[in-house]
Amino acid sequence: MEKKGTNREQRCISLVKPSDYSESGNPIYKYEDKERGWMSPNYGEEGWAEKIERHFETYIGEIDNVFHEIISDIVHIDVYHIKPTQERNYHTLFTTGMSYLPMNVPEGIEGYNYAELMICLPPEWPITQEAFADEDHYWPVRWLKMLARLPHEYETWLGHGHTVPNGDPARPLSDQTKLNGVILLPPIMVHRDFLTLEMDSERTIRFYSIVPLYQEEMEFKLKYGCNDLTDKFDKYGINEIVRLNRRNVCRSSVIPFRRK
């Protein structure tokens, strides 16, 4: 489908109740494990998930499979798979369930309280239950489910420009890469009409891609802000397709001179 401009032409917005602030003025949040019991999951209103499915099939492609969540907590998160095609030569995985409940957005950010997530993987990525027994293959699904549940578990929200490291200190997402965190961004390899889905007159779902980051990119975003980072992504052609060994856009290639 034809793309209309860049989908990165949106403001980067941030969470509620920060524990600290970055040099760029963006809030930083640290979440501790909550000691709580299991909560009965919300399965969504009748027809809600089906409307999301139709939206993806209209703009992305035919759904091939659904990885149903067996045991759910707070919200029931399913992960859907769309196979690569000639037009879109990459796998698309997306969630339903994150939008079953509204997120706790700050005052003035109304309209951003419903979201779903997606991640795009190269065509050679194995997408089967058997392959997912290997964490090197499964981590994208794990992150989709973890991030989709996070705002409801911690009574916060996620949106454009939010970054999440893989632990503290951050560890690589898998043994096959040095990428060790993620940022949420609107996908750019889609028609602009895909980015939002109006469920009714008061509720609109926004769709975000999970884009993995290197440590230097995470630090650059915290220092200079989301827009400066996505400018670098645009300069070097970084999009939402996961490339485990892609260029690090914030790593200097200059070798410092050392006196003997």
Side-chain angles (χ1 to χ4, degrees):
M1 291 186 182
E2 178 188 1
K3 287 184 277 185
K4 299 180 179 179
T6 173
N7 296 325
R8 289 191 177 135
E9 295 170 359
Q10 301 185 26
R11 60 190 178 129
C12 293
I13 42 188
S14 297
L15 303 171
V16 197
K17 297 179 182 177
S19 56
D20 199 356
Y21 286 88
S22 68
E23 289 186 56
S24 65
N26 290 322
I28 298 174
Y29 301 82
K30 294 184 179 179
Y31 297 109
E32 304 293 338
D33 290 337
K34 282 189 171 184
E35 292 185 6
R36 61 167 181 81
W38 172 84
M39 294 178 61
S40 178
N42 187 306
Y43 284 86
E45 299 174 14
E46 183 177 356
W48 189 279
E50 289 76 12
K51 193 168 182 178
I52 298 171
E53 293 169 19
R54 290 194 298 271
H55 187 72
F56 270 85
E57 292 200 315
T58 297
Y59 290 101
I60 306 298
E62 181 180 356
I63 294 170
D64 177 66
N65 193 16
V66 184
F67 298 97
H68 293 283
E69 191 167 61
I70 305 302
I71 301 176
S72 301
D73 184 24
I74 307 176
V75 286
H76 178 80
I77 307 294
D78 286 328
V79 175
Y80 293 69
H81 173 220
I82 298 175
K83 285 183 175 180
T85 64
Q86 186 174 357
E87 182 181 5
R88 290 189 170 84
N89 190 28
Y90 51 87
H91 298 279
T92 301
L93 299 175
F94 70 92
T95 62
T96 61
M98 184 177 182
S99 64
Y100 291 169
L101 295 172
M103 296 183 288
N104 182 29
V105 299
E107 185 177 352
I109 310 294
E110 293 80 6
Y112 288 82
N113 46 359
Y114 294 93
E116 294 289 353
L117 304 176
M118 59 187 285
I119 194 167
C120 298
L121 303 172
E124 65 273 15
W125 200 285
I127 309 288
T128 64
Q129 289 285 10
E130 293 74 21
F132 286 165
D134 185 341
E135 184 65 21
D136 284 344
H137 302 147
Y138 182 68
W139 68 261
V141 177
R142 184 182 303 282
W143 273 82
L144 282 170
K145 292 162 69 72
M146 182 269 289
L147 290 177
R149 188 169 282 112
L150 183 149
H152 306 302
E153 185 173 5
Y154 292 98
E155 299 179 355
T156 183
W157 73 298
L158 290 174
H160 182 185
H162 293 168
T163 51
V164 182
N166 185 31
D168 185 14
R171 304 178 303 278
L173 297 171
S174 81
D175 291 338
Q176 299 178 333
T177 185
K178 293 183 179 180
L179 295 157
N180 66 358
V182 303
I183 187 170
L184 298 189
L185 295 172
I188 61 173
M189 299 175 64
V190 297
H191 194 284
R192 291 184 69 90
D193 291 347
F194 167 78
L195 298 178
T196 59
L197 173 60
E198 187 175 299
M199 304 302 285
D200 55 37
S201 61
E202 297 181 349
R203 297 178 293 180
T204 297
I205 298 175
R206 299 176 186 274
F207 298 98
Y208 301 104
S209 286
I210 295 176
V211 179
L213 296 179
Y214 290 104
Q215 181 67 32
E216 293 86 351
E217 294 170 343
M218 181 84 69
E219 293 171 356
F220 181 91
K221 184 265 181 180
L222 291 174
K223 185 173 183 178
Y224 298 107
C226 170
N227 292 331
D228 283 2
L229 176 61
T230 55
D231 284 347
K232 284 182 172 288
F233 281 175
D234 292 339
K235 178 180 178 180
Y236 294 107
I238 306 300
N239 55 35
E240 58 263 32
I241 302 176
V242 173
R243 304 293 184 190
L244 295 177
N245 297 302
R246 68 164 174 83
R247 181 188 186 117
N248 183 336
V249 303
C250 295
R251 186 175 181 180
S252 174
S253 60
V254 177
I255 301 175
F257 173 78
R258 291 187 176 88
R259 293 181 181 273
K260 293 184 178 180

